[in-house]
Amino acid sequence: MTSQTPPKVGIIANPISARDIRRVVASANSVQVADRANIVLRALAALAACGIEDVVMMPERGGIATHVLRGMERSNAQGEARFPRLTHLAMPVTGTADDTRRAARMMREAGDIAAIIVLGGDGTHRAVVAECGSVPIAGISTGTNNAFPEHREPTITGLATGLAAMGRVPAGLAFAANKKIEVRIDGGPPEIALVDVALVTDRYVGARALWRTETFRELYVAFADPEVIGMAAIAGLVEPVSRREPGGLALTLAPAATAAMTVCAPIAPGLVTPVGVEGWRRMPAGKLFSPDMAAGAVALDGERELFFDGHQQVAITLQDAAFRTVDVAAVMAYAAREKLLLRHATPALHPVPLLAGA
């Protein structure tokens, strides 16, 4: 993006996130299409308030766009003009994660997208990061397990993204570096995780999401937060590691009945269960980790994606400063400190009476 090109913001809203087995075995909520559309509308209004004039959105078949356009038309009919211009990428829609990856890649290649707002869970954000390159993202949580996107009112995320995209906040403050974990099997192309990589004994693919704790054997996390839901919660309750500090944490797990210790962890919304822990150690960036398991499945951010047997070699490494996100808290603190959103009223002009005898 050149300095002469007005900045645009991209929006990728996953219409089918939060629809896995954890909806059945736990008490996770589901964000309906109309709710997702309202989230997009709130973000759009905030972007416009910051001066963003053009937004590009991923097309989908779930109905989000229909609700969004209806809301924009209703606002425009009332003369409010609260929203920026909205266009959709010219791309085929398959209704799969390929749509998310293709949209992120197209936004990166466009060259004029200053940031991408992402609606979804950990899996959606992982798909975007795989293709967005150096374009920073701003996450809004609408999935099942949402360890990566921070929970925040979408209007605030939109304001921070707009201010950062417009260059009103120094880039070194507006954007934060994030870690990711790469997994390679037999030296093949890497698959990535933004939060955690789990190795499990269960190779059954009927349900990709993890919830049977007796199958957990090894866990590698980019950050360990005791306030999140999912596999990273196990690590966070053992030894917290922040998003911003270098490196992560590696844990050896076992069935709770036979493990040296157990941790009672929220592995899904409403599902708090004992998990067996044998030990843990720090995971420095760049260091190669190889699992002790002979065969099993690899789950990326809570969902089984890869499978391996005793004839294959699995390599796991963590990267620091792998991609950028909008640091919403830092941007809003700077906006308050520098009065970026403060507007002074223009004083009305009134006739000034002349002094007597003038």
Side-chain angles (χ1 to χ4, degrees):
M1 184 177 64
T2 65
S3 58
Q4 290 76 29
T5 304
K8 297 180 181 179
V9 170
I11 294 181
I12 295 177
N14 183 357
I16 59 171
S17 61
R19 296 184 184 178
D20 59 50
I21 194 171
R22 289 166 293 197
R23 301 286 146 188
V24 178
V25 301
S27 303
N29 65 329
S30 181
V31 183
Q32 302 302 314
V33 169
D35 297 322
R36 296 170 200 249
N38 286 333
I39 289 172
V40 172
L41 287 169
R42 279 136 67 187
L44 286 171
L47 291 171
C50 296
I52 296 294
E53 297 180 354
D54 290 280
V55 172
V56 181
M57 190 170 173
M58 178 186 79
E60 40 72 39
R61 296 173 182 165
I64 296 176
T66 301
H67 284 278
V68 168
L69 292 174
R70 187 179 300 139
M72 294 178 67
E73 290 170 357
R74 184 166 55 247
S75 175
N76 291 336
Q78 296 173 355
E80 294 175 339
R82 293 194 302 126
F83 301 106
R85 289 184 292 270
L86 179 66
T87 58
H88 287 81
L89 292 170
M91 55 172 272
V93 178
T94 66
T96 68
D98 289 338
D99 294 342
T100 297
R101 288 188 283 266
R102 183 179 292 109
R105 183 168 60 251
M106 291 177 68
M107 290 178 182
R108 181 196 75 216
E109 293 173 347
D112 58 356
I113 303 295
I116 302 172
I117 294 177
V118 183
L119 279 71
D122 293 336
T124 303
H125 286 79
R126 181 175 72 250
V128 172
V129 169
E131 297 289 350
C132 70
S134 62
V135 181
I137 68 172
I140 296 177
S141 170
T142 60
T144 306
N145 278 18
N146 301 284
F148 181 76
E150 297 176 320
H151 292 259
R152 183 178 280 110
E153 162 56 39
T155 309
I156 304 303
T157 300
L159 282 173
T161 303
L163 291 171
M166 292 295 292
R168 300 193 64 192
V169 180
L173 188 151
F175 305 115
N178 295 262
K179 298 171 279 189
K180 72 177 181 181
I181 302 175
E182 288 191 346
V183 180
R184 297 175 186 266
I185 296 181
D186 288 341
E191 295 287 345
I192 67 168
L194 308 187
V195 182
D196 53 67
V197 172
L199 275 62
V200 300
T201 59
D202 190 356
R203 293 169 60 92
Y204 177 61
V205 296
R208 293 170 59 203
L210 299 182
W211 59 279
R212 295 179 56 204
T213 59
E214 69 272 14
T215 68
F216 300 173
R217 291 297 180 269
E218 298 183 36
L219 176 62
Y220 304 86
V221 299
F223 61 89
D225 188 342
E227 294 187 41
V228 302
I229 292 290
M231 297 298 291
I234 301 170
L237 292 167
V238 169
E239 183 174 332
V241 178
S242 76
R243 295 171 184 256
R244 301 296 174 242
E245 67 181 285
L249 200 69
L251 297 87
T252 302
L253 307 178
T258 61
M261 64 194 83
T262 61
V263 58
C264 201
I267 63 170
L271 184 58
V272 182
T273 186
V275 179
V277 179
E278 294 289 350
W280 63 91
R281 62 196 185 280
R282 285 287 175 152
M283 186 181 187
K287 181 178 179 179
L288 176 66
F289 285 76
S290 297
D292 294 328
M293 292 174 54
V298 180
L300 306 175
D301 295 329
E303 295 188 347
R304 274 176 288 249
E305 301 282 357
L306 306 170
F307 303 91
F308 65 97
D309 56 35
H311 302 291
Q312 295 175 298
Q313 183 175 4
V314 180
I316 302 172
T317 54
L318 181 144
Q319 291 185 9
D320 284 332
F323 64 99
R324 297 188 301 162
T325 54
V326 176
D327 191 333
V328 176
V331 169
M332 297 311 295
Y334 182 91
R337 188 167 60 249
E338 299 298 324
K339 307 296 188 287
L340 297 186
L341 298 175
L342 192 65
R343 301 289 185 271
H344 292 284
T346 302
L349 296 179
H350 299 287
V352 179
L354 294 177
L355 295 176

